[in-house]
Amino acid sequence: GEDVEQSLFLSVREGDSSVINCTYTDSSSTYLYWYKQEPGAGLQLLTYIFSNMDMKQDQRLTVLLNKKDKHLSLRIADTQTGDSAIYFCAESPGSQGNLIFGKGTKLSVKP
Amino acid sequence: DTAVSQTPKYLVTQMGNDKSIKCEQNLGHDTMYWYKQDSKKFLKIMFSYNNKELIINETVPNRFSPKSPDKAHLNLHINSLELGDSAVYFCASSAGENQPQHFGDGTRLSIL
């Protein structure tokens, strides 16, 4: 079945790198996504990677995709207190386009 | 300009009432969605529309009825509200199926 797994919590110090990991089950997903949700706010599309890529870099964000192991990671360099949020991994299996979300990783950044 | 906008942002009402949540997108997208986020932050698809046609209807009670008057709007009407309907409802849109989805800010529905 479709399932996206992520660890629930991650705590880092300001200035360190954060790595949030995700595993997914459906190898037919065209894109894999990372969304950010700040407290009381909506979902912000942070970045996404096409399934035939293995890496994508966008400023402080690096996405790594290992299709063989169905593993996706998000690395945030020089993590800031403003990065504190819940980060959701999502896949889009099948042809209908609906997203299957993980349960979210709550990132806490300590000064 | 807000790309995907939902109204209202907060909705507090009593059990048994009927309410609607509106969603509009100005991105020119063909596909729109409704998701539900429960108290544990778990997000699940409810409906998907492509060019006003229903594509996905997950196992959602038929008290929930989406309406798409045109491809820029997807409204959600809920009849006979129940306590378990309390959640945050997110609207999203994409240029097509399997394209990145952009979300609204959510509607926080609380049932008393």
mmCIF file of all heavy atoms in Angstrom, chain B residues 34-67:
data_model
loop_
_atom_site.group_PDB
_atom_site.id
_atom_site.type_symbol
_atom_site.label_atom_id
_atom_site.label_comp_id
_atom_site.label_asym_id
_atom_site.label_seq_id
_atom_site.Cartn_x
_atom_site.Cartn_y
_atom_site.Cartn_z
ATOM 1 N N TRP B 34 -9.138 19.179 -2.138
ATOM 2 C CA TRP B 34 -9.396 19.428 -0.720
ATOM 3 C C TRP B 34 -8.702 18.340 0.087
ATOM 4 O O TRP B 34 -8.826 17.150 -0.222
ATOM 5 C CB TRP B 34 -10.891 19.405 -0.392
ATOM 6 C CG TRP B 34 -11.581 20.707 -0.690
ATOM 7 C CD1 TRP B 34 -12.430 20.966 -1.705
ATOM 8 C CD2 TRP B 34 -11.471 21.925 0.060
ATOM 9 N NE1 TRP B 34 -12.850 22.276 -1.655
ATOM 10 C CE2 TRP B 34 -12.280 22.881 -0.584
ATOM 11 C CE3 TRP B 34 -10.761 22.299 1.203
ATOM 12 C CZ2 TRP B 34 -12.407 24.189 -0.132
ATOM 13 C CZ3 TRP B 34 -10.884 23.607 1.657
ATOM 14 C CH2 TRP B 34 -11.707 24.536 0.999
ATOM 15 N N TYR B 35 -7.977 18.800 1.135
ATOM 16 C CA TYR B 35 -7.323 17.901 2.081
ATOM 17 C C TYR B 35 -7.829 18.212 3.482
ATOM 18 O O TYR B 35 -8.204 19.345 3.787
ATOM 19 C CB TYR B 35 -5.798 18.109 2.084
ATOM 20 C CG TYR B 35 -5.080 17.637 0.848
ATOM 21 C CD1 TYR B 35 -4.994 18.429 -0.294
ATOM 22 C CD2 TYR B 35 -4.449 16.391 0.829
ATOM 23 C CE1 TYR B 35 -4.317 17.985 -1.421
ATOM 24 C CE2 TYR B 35 -3.762 15.946 -0.295
ATOM 25 C CZ TYR B 35 -3.712 16.756 -1.409
ATOM 26 O OH TYR B 35 -3.027 16.320 -2.528
ATOM 27 N N LYS B 36 -7.782 17.202 4.336
ATOM 28 C CA LYS B 36 -8.149 17.383 5.743
ATOM 29 C C LYS B 36 -6.918 17.108 6.599
ATOM 30 O O LYS B 36 -6.229 16.094 6.387
ATOM 31 C CB LYS B 36 -9.269 16.406 6.119
ATOM 32 C CG LYS B 36 -9.732 16.520 7.572
ATOM 33 C CD LYS B 36 -10.850 15.520 7.845
ATOM 34 C CE LYS B 36 -11.308 15.602 9.305
ATOM 35 N NZ LYS B 36 -12.400 14.633 9.609
ATOM 36 N N GLN B 37 -6.637 18.017 7.549
ATOM 37 C CA GLN B 37 -5.542 17.793 8.501
ATOM 38 C C GLN B 37 -6.133 17.644 9.895
ATOM 39 O O GLN B 37 -6.760 18.572 10.412
ATOM 40 C CB GLN B 37 -4.536 18.945 8.474
ATOM 41 C CG GLN B 37 -3.320 18.689 9.353
ATOM 42 C CD GLN B 37 -2.268 19.782 9.260
ATOM 43 O OE1 GLN B 37 -2.581 20.969 9.244
ATOM 44 N NE2 GLN B 37 -1.001 19.388 9.185
ATOM 45 N N ASP B 38 -5.920 16.489 10.492
ATOM 46 C CA ASP B 38 -6.521 16.240 11.809
ATOM 47 C C ASP B 38 -5.667 16.829 12.933
ATOM 48 O O ASP B 38 -4.656 17.489 12.682
ATOM 49 C CB ASP B 38 -6.768 14.735 12.012
ATOM 50 C CG ASP B 38 -5.476 13.914 12.028
ATOM 51 O OD1 ASP B 38 -4.395 14.475 12.309
ATOM 52 O OD2 ASP B 38 -5.552 12.704 11.776
ATOM 53 N N SER B 39 -6.079 16.582 14.152
ATOM 54 C CA SER B 39 -5.417 17.201 15.313
ATOM 55 C C SER B 39 -3.983 16.708 15.490
ATOM 56 O O SER B 39 -3.179 17.372 16.142
ATOM 57 C CB SER B 39 -6.218 16.925 16.587
ATOM 58 O OG SER B 39 -6.345 15.535 16.773
ATOM 59 N N LYS B 40 -3.653 15.569 14.890
ATOM 60 C CA LYS B 40 -2.271 15.072 14.952
ATOM 61 C C LYS B 40 -1.460 15.515 13.739
ATOM 62 O O LYS B 40 -0.372 15.001 13.493
ATOM 63 C CB LYS B 40 -2.275 13.537 15.053
ATOM 64 C CG LYS B 40 -2.884 13.040 16.352
ATOM 65 C CD LYS B 40 -2.831 11.540 16.449
ATOM 66 C CE LYS B 40 -3.461 11.090 17.762
ATOM 67 N NZ LYS B 40 -3.510 9.625 17.881
ATOM 68 N N LYS B 41 -1.995 16.450 12.976
ATOM 69 C CA LYS B 41 -1.309 17.027 11.812
ATOM 70 C C LYS B 41 -1.275 16.091 10.613
ATOM 71 O O LYS B 41 -0.559 16.376 9.650
ATOM 72 C CB LYS B 41 0.135 17.471 12.151
ATOM 73 C CG LYS B 41 0.208 18.476 13.287
ATOM 74 C CD LYS B 41 -0.421 19.777 12.913
ATOM 75 C CE LYS B 41 -0.217 20.816 14.000
ATOM 76 N NZ LYS B 41 -0.962 22.054 13.707
ATOM 77 N N PHE B 42 -2.006 14.996 10.659
ATOM 78 C CA PHE B 42 -1.999 14.075 9.534
ATOM 79 C C PHE B 42 -2.868 14.615 8.406
ATOM 80 O O PHE B 42 -4.027 14.985 8.625
ATOM 81 C CB PHE B 42 -2.486 12.701 9.984
ATOM 82 C CG PHE B 42 -2.385 11.654 8.927
ATOM 83 C CD1 PHE B 42 -1.187 11.402 8.277
ATOM 84 C CD2 PHE B 42 -3.499 10.920 8.555
ATOM 85 C CE1 PHE B 42 -1.094 10.441 7.290
ATOM 86 C CE2 PHE B 42 -3.414 9.956 7.564
ATOM 87 C CZ PHE B 42 -2.206 9.723 6.937
ATOM 88 N N LEU B 43 -2.319 14.661 7.196
ATOM 89 C CA LEU B 43 -2.996 15.229 6.027
ATOM 90 C C LEU B 43 -3.490 14.124 5.115
ATOM 91 O O LEU B 43 -2.734 13.226 4.757
ATOM 92 C CB LEU B 43 -2.009 16.075 5.227
ATOM 93 C CG LEU B 43 -1.758 17.469 5.735
ATOM 94 C CD1 LEU B 43 -0.354 17.895 5.414
ATOM 95 C CD2 LEU B 43 -2.762 18.431 5.126
ATOM 96 N N LYS B 44 -4.752 14.252 4.677
ATOM 97 C CA LYS B 44 -5.292 13.213 3.811
ATOM 98 C C LYS B 44 -6.160 13.849 2.727
ATOM 99 O O LYS B 44 -6.942 14.762 3.001
ATOM 100 C CB LYS B 44 -6.124 12.243 4.641
ATOM 101 C CG LYS B 44 -6.496 10.954 3.926
ATOM 102 C CD LYS B 44 -7.106 9.972 4.890
ATOM 103 C CE LYS B 44 -7.815 8.854 4.176
ATOM 104 N NZ LYS B 44 -6.942 8.018 3.355
ATOM 105 N N ILE B 45 -6.027 13.355 1.521
ATOM 106 C CA ILE B 45 -6.832 13.856 0.404
ATOM 107 C C ILE B 45 -8.308 13.539 0.627
ATOM 108 O O ILE B 45 -8.660 12.473 1.156
ATOM 109 C CB ILE B 45 -6.355 13.242 -0.939
ATOM 110 C CG1 ILE B 45 -7.117 13.826 -2.123
ATOM 111 C CG2 ILE B 45 -6.473 11.727 -0.939
ATOM 112 C CD1 ILE B 45 -6.713 15.211 -2.508
ATOM 113 N N MET B 46 -9.155 14.491 0.269
ATOM 114 C CA MET B 46 -10.604 14.242 0.313
ATOM 115 C C MET B 46 -11.153 14.165 -1.109
ATOM 116 O O MET B 46 -11.806 13.210 -1.491
ATOM 117 C CB MET B 46 -11.299 15.374 1.070
ATOM 118 C CG MET B 46 -10.892 15.518 2.509
ATOM 119 S SD MET B 46 -11.636 16.971 3.265
ATOM 120 C CE MET B 46 -13.356 16.475 3.325
ATOM 121 N N PHE B 47 -10.908 15.233 -1.886
ATOM 122 C CA PHE B 47 -11.460 15.328 -3.238
ATOM 123 C C PHE B 47 -10.427 15.941 -4.177
ATOM 124 O O PHE B 47 -9.572 16.708 -3.767
ATOM 125 C CB PHE B 47 -12.684 16.257 -3.268
ATOM 126 C CG PHE B 47 -13.826 15.823 -2.410
ATOM 127 C CD1 PHE B 47 -14.052 16.427 -1.188
ATOM 128 C CD2 PHE B 47 -14.684 14.815 -2.829
ATOM 129 C CE1 PHE B 47 -15.113 16.038 -0.389
ATOM 130 C CE2 PHE B 47 -15.738 14.414 -2.037
ATOM 131 C CZ PHE B 47 -15.949 15.033 -0.818
ATOM 132 N N SER B 48 -10.610 15.612 -5.455
ATOM 133 C CA SER B 48 -9.818 16.257 -6.483
ATOM 134 C C SER B 48 -10.729 16.532 -7.671
ATOM 135 O O SER B 48 -11.536 15.670 -8.055
ATOM 136 C CB SER B 48 -8.662 15.338 -6.884
ATOM 137 O OG SER B 48 -8.084 15.764 -8.079
ATOM 138 N N TYR B 49 -10.592 17.723 -8.247
ATOM 139 C CA TYR B 49 -11.362 18.109 -9.423
ATOM 140 C C TYR B 49 -10.402 18.535 -10.517
ATOM 141 O O TYR B 49 -9.438 19.258 -10.262
ATOM 142 C CB TYR B 49 -12.287 19.296 -9.101
ATOM 143 C CG TYR B 49 -13.662 18.914 -8.671
ATOM 144 C CD1 TYR B 49 -13.874 18.341 -7.425
ATOM 145 C CD2 TYR B 49 -14.758 19.133 -9.499
ATOM 146 C CE1 TYR B 49 -15.149 17.990 -7.022
ATOM 147 C CE2 TYR B 49 -16.032 18.780 -9.102
ATOM 148 C CZ TYR B 49 -16.226 18.204 -7.860
ATOM 149 O OH TYR B 49 -17.482 17.851 -7.456
ATOM 150 N N ASN B 50 -10.684 18.111 -11.746
ATOM 151 C CA ASN B 50 -9.920 18.574 -12.884
ATOM 152 C C ASN B 50 -10.889 19.212 -13.879
ATOM 153 O O ASN B 50 -11.802 18.547 -14.368
ATOM 154 C CB ASN B 50 -9.160 17.418 -13.545
ATOM 155 C CG ASN B 50 -8.240 17.906 -14.638
ATOM 156 O OD1 ASN B 50 -7.471 18.854 -14.452
ATOM 157 N ND2 ASN B 50 -8.299 17.282 -15.792
ATOM 158 N N ASN B 51 -10.696 20.496 -14.145
ATOM 159 C CA ASN B 51 -11.599 21.216 -15.042
ATOM 160 C C ASN B 51 -13.069 20.990 -14.684
ATOM 161 O O ASN B 51 -13.883 20.649 -15.543
ATOM 162 C CB ASN B 51 -11.377 20.802 -16.495
ATOM 163 C CG ASN B 51 -10.434 21.746 -17.199
ATOM 164 O OD1 ASN B 51 -10.503 22.959 -17.026
ATOM 165 N ND2 ASN B 51 -9.551 21.177 -17.983
ATOM 166 N N LYS B 52 -13.384 21.164 -13.438
ATOM 167 C CA LYS B 52 -14.744 21.063 -12.890
ATOM 168 C C LYS B 52 -15.271 19.631 -12.800
ATOM 169 O O LYS B 52 -16.420 19.423 -12.425
ATOM 170 C CB LYS B 52 -15.740 21.920 -13.668
ATOM 171 C CG LYS B 52 -15.359 23.370 -13.804
ATOM 172 C CD LYS B 52 -16.518 24.233 -14.247
ATOM 173 C CE LYS B 52 -17.040 23.811 -15.596
ATOM 174 N NZ LYS B 52 -18.271 24.567 -15.979
ATOM 175 N N GLU B 53 -14.456 18.653 -13.169
ATOM 176 C CA GLU B 53 -14.918 17.264 -13.107
ATOM 177 C C GLU B 53 -14.290 16.572 -11.898
ATOM 178 O O GLU B 53 -13.072 16.667 -11.688
ATOM 179 C CB GLU B 53 -14.513 16.503 -14.374
ATOM 180 C CG GLU B 53 -15.093 17.052 -15.654
ATOM 181 C CD GLU B 53 -16.564 16.748 -15.805
ATOM 182 O OE1 GLU B 53 -17.016 15.692 -15.284
ATOM 183 O OE2 GLU B 53 -17.282 17.562 -16.415
ATOM 184 N N LEU B 54 -15.092 15.828 -11.163
ATOM 185 C CA LEU B 54 -14.594 15.100 -9.999
ATOM 186 C C LEU B 54 -13.686 13.959 -10.438
ATOM 187 O O LEU B 54 -14.062 13.146 -11.280
ATOM 188 C CB LEU B 54 -15.773 14.547 -9.204
ATOM 189 C CG LEU B 54 -15.431 13.737 -7.947
ATOM 190 C CD1 LEU B 54 -14.775 14.614 -6.888
ATOM 191 C CD2 LEU B 54 -16.679 13.059 -7.397
ATOM 192 N N ILE B 55 -12.474 13.915 -9.879
ATOM 193 C CA ILE B 55 -11.540 12.838 -10.192
ATOM 194 C C ILE B 55 -11.406 11.883 -9.021
ATOM 195 O O ILE B 55 -11.426 10.673 -9.175
ATOM 196 C CB ILE B 55 -10.129 13.392 -10.506
ATOM 197 C CG1 ILE B 55 -10.189 14.382 -11.650
ATOM 198 C CG2 ILE B 55 -9.166 12.267 -10.822
ATOM 199 C CD1 ILE B 55 -8.885 15.088 -11.851
ATOM 200 N N ILE B 56 -11.191 12.443 -7.845
ATOM 201 C CA ILE B 56 -10.981 11.630 -6.654
ATOM 202 C C ILE B 56 -12.056 11.949 -5.639
ATOM 203 O O ILE B 56 -12.352 13.103 -5.377
ATOM 204 C CB ILE B 56 -9.607 11.927 -5.996
ATOM 205 C CG1 ILE B 56 -8.469 11.581 -6.927
ATOM 206 C CG2 ILE B 56 -9.459 11.186 -4.670
ATOM 207 C CD1 ILE B 56 -7.125 12.032 -6.404
ATOM 208 N N ASN B 57 -12.613 10.907 -5.071
ATOM 209 C CA ASN B 57 -13.504 11.068 -3.931
ATOM 210 C C ASN B 57 -13.117 9.960 -2.966
ATOM 211 O O ASN B 57 -13.549 8.822 -3.122
ATOM 212 C CB ASN B 57 -14.959 10.950 -4.375
ATOM 213 C CG ASN B 57 -15.930 11.129 -3.206
ATOM 214 O OD1 ASN B 57 -15.520 11.208 -2.054
ATOM 215 N ND2 ASN B 57 -17.203 11.177 -3.509
ATOM 216 N N GLU B 58 -12.223 10.294 -2.053
ATOM 217 C CA GLU B 58 -11.793 9.288 -1.092
ATOM 218 C C GLU B 58 -12.965 8.928 -0.174
ATOM 219 O O GLU B 58 -14.045 9.487 -0.306
ATOM 220 C CB GLU B 58 -10.614 9.814 -0.284
ATOM 221 C CG GLU B 58 -9.323 9.879 -1.082
ATOM 222 C CD GLU B 58 -8.846 8.515 -1.511
ATOM 223 O OE1 GLU B 58 -8.638 7.641 -0.646
ATOM 224 O OE2 GLU B 58 -8.678 8.300 -2.738
ATOM 225 N N THR B 59 -12.736 8.045 0.750
ATOM 226 C CA THR B 59 -13.825 7.578 1.609
ATOM 227 C C THR B 59 -14.259 8.694 2.550
ATOM 228 O O THR B 59 -13.926 8.703 3.725
ATOM 229 C CB THR B 59 -13.378 6.349 2.412
ATOM 230 O OG1 THR B 59 -12.122 6.665 3.037
ATOM 231 C CG2 THR B 59 -13.218 5.155 1.515
ATOM 232 N N VAL B 60 -14.949 9.645 1.967
ATOM 233 C CA VAL B 60 -15.437 10.797 2.713
ATOM 234 C C VAL B 60 -16.949 10.648 2.852
ATOM 235 O O VAL B 60 -17.617 10.304 1.872
ATOM 236 C CB VAL B 60 -15.084 12.097 1.950
ATOM 237 C CG1 VAL B 60 -15.652 13.303 2.646
ATOM 238 C CG2 VAL B 60 -13.580 12.226 1.796
ATOM 239 N N PRO B 61 -17.518 10.905 4.036
ATOM 240 C CA PRO B 61 -18.975 10.796 4.178
ATOM 241 C C PRO B 61 -19.703 11.669 3.164
ATOM 242 O O PRO B 61 -19.211 12.742 2.788
ATOM 243 C CB PRO B 61 -19.216 11.297 5.608
ATOM 244 C CG PRO B 61 -17.914 11.135 6.309
ATOM 245 C CD PRO B 61 -16.843 11.301 5.285
ATOM 246 N N ASN B 62 -20.865 11.238 2.727
ATOM 247 C CA ASN B 62 -21.567 12.030 1.718
ATOM 248 C C ASN B 62 -22.190 13.304 2.282
ATOM 249 O O ASN B 62 -22.868 14.040 1.561
ATOM 250 C CB ASN B 62 -22.601 11.183 0.958
ATOM 251 C CG ASN B 62 -23.614 10.564 1.888
ATOM 252 O OD1 ASN B 62 -23.737 10.953 3.046
ATOM 253 N ND2 ASN B 62 -24.350 9.594 1.377
ATOM 254 N N ARG B 63 -21.935 13.568 3.564
ATOM 255 C CA ARG B 63 -22.287 14.890 4.115
ATOM 256 C C ARG B 63 -21.375 15.982 3.533
ATOM 257 O O ARG B 63 -21.693 17.168 3.613
ATOM 258 C CB ARG B 63 -22.129 14.898 5.642
ATOM 259 C CG ARG B 63 -23.030 13.926 6.388
ATOM 260 C CD ARG B 63 -22.847 14.017 7.889
ATOM 261 N NE ARG B 63 -21.531 13.601 8.333
ATOM 262 C CZ ARG B 63 -20.554 14.441 8.699
ATOM 263 N NH1 ARG B 63 -20.748 15.737 8.696
ATOM 264 N NH2 ARG B 63 -19.384 13.975 9.108
ATOM 265 N N PHE B 64 -20.250 15.557 2.989
ATOM 266 C CA PHE B 64 -19.303 16.489 2.366
ATOM 267 C C PHE B 64 -19.579 16.514 0.869
ATOM 268 O O PHE B 64 -19.521 15.478 0.202
ATOM 269 C CB PHE B 64 -17.861 16.028 2.592
ATOM 270 C CG PHE B 64 -17.401 16.162 4.010
ATOM 271 C CD1 PHE B 64 -17.780 15.225 4.963
ATOM 272 C CD2 PHE B 64 -16.583 17.211 4.408
ATOM 273 C CE1 PHE B 64 -17.361 15.353 6.285
ATOM 274 C CE2 PHE B 64 -16.162 17.330 5.718
ATOM 275 C CZ PHE B 64 -16.551 16.400 6.658
ATOM 276 N N SER B 65 -19.874 17.710 0.346
ATOM 277 C CA SER B 65 -20.139 17.790 -1.091
ATOM 278 C C SER B 65 -19.338 18.936 -1.692
ATOM 279 O O SER B 65 -19.571 20.109 -1.375
ATOM 280 C CB SER B 65 -21.627 17.958 -1.377
ATOM 281 O OG SER B 65 -22.155 19.017 -0.620
ATOM 282 N N PRO B 66 -18.378 18.605 -2.550
ATOM 283 C CA PRO B 66 -17.627 19.650 -3.240
ATOM 284 C C PRO B 66 -18.438 20.197 -4.406
ATOM 285 O O PRO B 66 -19.245 19.490 -5.008
ATOM 286 C CB PRO B 66 -16.387 18.904 -3.734
ATOM 287 C CG PRO B 66 -16.819 17.489 -3.870
ATOM 288 C CD PRO B 66 -17.952 17.262 -2.916
ATOM 289 N N LYS B 67 -18.186 21.492 -4.696
ATOM 290 C CA LYS B 67 -18.870 22.118 -5.842
ATOM 291 C C LYS B 67 -17.842 22.971 -6.575
ATOM 292 O O LYS B 67 -17.174 23.797 -5.962
ATOM 293 C CB LYS B 67 -20.025 23.018 -5.371
ATOM 294 C CG LYS B 67 -21.159 22.295 -4.705
ATOM 295 C CD LYS B 67 -22.220 21.896 -5.691
ATOM 296 C CE LYS B 67 -23.511 21.420 -5.041
ATOM 297 N NZ LYS B 67 -23.356 20.387 -4.044
#
